[in-house]
Amino acid sequence: MAKEIKDKDGITYVQKKPWYKRFWVWVLIVVVVFCIIGGMSSGSDDESSNSNDNSSSKTTQQSKKTTFSKPKKAVVEKNTAKLVTLGAGTYTVGRDIEPGRYTITAASGSGNLSSDNESNDEEINVILGTTVDNDMEQITSYTVDLTKDEKIKIESIQSTKFVPTPNKRKFQTTLGAGHWEVGKDIKPGRYEITALQGSGNLISNNGEDDINEILGTTADEDSGQITKVTADLVKGEILNTDLQEIKLTAE
C-alpha cells in the first residue's frame, strides 16, 4: 500500500515503494535462479550420458578387436625312431630297436628281411640288397612303422641300417617299397597306380575295397601280374607295396 505525504503547502504526495522491496520481484528472482540451476544440471547429465555412450562404444569396439584369433599350427608327430645298424639275427622292437618309423636299407650284402607283428597284418617279407634285382624281386629300401614288441628277422644280410624318417610327413605320388598311410603320405582320392620299377605285391586294408594285386612293369598272365590298378584311397587306409617304385596318378 502506498504512503501519502503532505508538504508545507498542504499538497499531498503518494510515496511508492522501491521496486526491489516489492514481493513479486523476489518471487521472480527465485524462479529464475531455480531455472538456471536446473539447466546446468541437465547439461551435466547430458554430458555424462554422452561420455557413457562413448565409453560403451569404445568398449564394444575393443571387444570386437579381441575376437580375432591366430590360426592354429599343424601338429607334427614326433618320430621316436633312432638310427641303428644291425647284422643278421632276430631283434625285438623296444629292446634292440626303438619304436618309430624307419627306412631300412642293406648297407652290405643281400638277403631276407621279415617281421612278426601280432598287433596287425602289416608284416614285412622282402628280399633286401644294395642293388635292385627285378628277377629276384630284390629292393634297396623299405619304409615302415615299427611297433613295440614286434620281431624283426634279418637273414644273410651282412649289415642292415635302420634310418629314422623325418618328423614331418608329406603327400607323395611316387613311392618306394613300404607301408604308406592315406592322409599322411598319400592325399585321399582316386588313383591309377602303376609300377615304375620292379614287381611284387600291392596290398591295402580298405575293407571290401581292398587292393590285392601282383604289380609289375609288364603283364604276366601265368603269374597274374598286371601293370596298373585303379582304386579309391581313403583316409587311414594303409597301402603296402613290395615294389622298388610305384606311381600314383590322380583321376
Side-chain angles (χ1 to χ4, degrees):
M1 183 175 178
K3 184 178 178 181
E4 293 183 352
I5 300 174
K6 291 183 178 181
D7 62 7
K8 60 181 181 178
D9 296 325
I11 299 173
T12 302
Y13 297 93
V14 178
Q15 185 180 22
K16 296 182 180 181
K17 288 183 178 181
W19 65 271
Y20 54 83
K21 290 185 178 182
R22 299 187 180 188
F23 176 77
W24 62 269
V25 171
W26 289 104
V27 172
L28 181 61
I29 290 171
V30 171
V31 171
V32 170
V33 169
F34 274 107
C35 288
I36 293 171
I37 293 173
M40 292 174 65
S41 175
S42 176
S44 176
D45 291 342
D46 290 342
E47 288 178 1
S48 176
S49 176
N50 290 336
S51 175
N52 290 336
D53 291 342
N54 291 336
S55 176
S56 175
S57 176
K58 289 179 180 178
T59 302
T60 303
Q61 290 175 357
Q62 290 176 353
S63 64
K64 287 181 179 179
K65 290 180 180 179
T66 58
T67 58
F68 294 102
S69 58
K70 294 182 179 179
K72 294 181 179 180
K73 293 182 179 180
V75 178
V76 178
E77 295 181 5
K78 185 178 179 180
N79 188 5
T80 57
K82 291 185 179 180
L83 177 66
V84 64
T85 302
L86 302 171
T90 302
Y91 303 92
T92 302
V93 178
R95 184 189 65 187
D96 308 302
I97 307 168
E98 286 295 322
R101 187 167 177 81
Y102 293 89
T103 295
I104 307 170
T105 60
S108 176
S110 62
N112 295 321
L113 174 70
S114 60
S115 71
D116 182 6
N117 189 351
E118 295 180 356
S119 63
N120 55 53
D121 297 328
E122 298 167 15
E123 295 183 353
I124 307 168
N125 187 12
V126 295
I127 300 173
L128 195 66
T130 55
T131 59
V132 176
D133 188 329
N134 292 331
D135 294 332
M136 293 179 58
E137 296 185 358
Q138 179 174 294
I139 58 177
T140 58
S141 68
Y142 198 87
T143 301
V144 66
D145 290 285
L146 300 182
T147 58
K148 188 177 179 181
D149 297 327
E150 185 174 359
K151 303 294 183 182
I152 303 296
K153 190 173 185 180
I154 302 171
E155 298 177 277
S156 303
I157 307 175
Q158 181 66 26
S159 178
T160 304
K161 185 176 288 188
F162 292 73
V163 181
T165 62
N167 285 327
K168 189 174 182 180
R169 295 163 75 166
K170 61 182 180 180
F171 294 153
Q172 303 174 67
T173 55
T174 301
L175 302 170
H179 296 174
W180 308 96
E181 184 174 342
V182 180
K184 291 184 179 180
D185 308 301
I186 306 167
K187 185 177 181 180
R190 185 171 177 80
Y191 294 92
E192 180 183 83
I193 307 172
T194 56
L196 292 182
Q197 189 176 10
S199 62
N201 295 319
L202 179 69
I203 302 170
S204 75
N205 63 343
N206 187 19
E208 294 181 358
D209 296 326
D210 279 354
I211 302 170
N212 189 1
E213 301 287 354
I214 300 174
L215 200 65
T217 54
T218 58
D220 187 335
E221 293 183 2
D222 294 334
S223 65
Q225 179 172 294
I226 59 176
T227 59
K228 62 182 179 180
V229 61
T230 300
D232 291 298
L233 302 181
V234 298
K235 187 176 181 180
E237 183 175 0
I238 303 296
L239 189 66
N240 180 5
T241 171
D242 294 341
L243 286 78
Q244 177 67 23
E245 192 174 31
I246 61 172
K247 182 175 179 59
L248 283 70
T249 304
E251 291 194 341

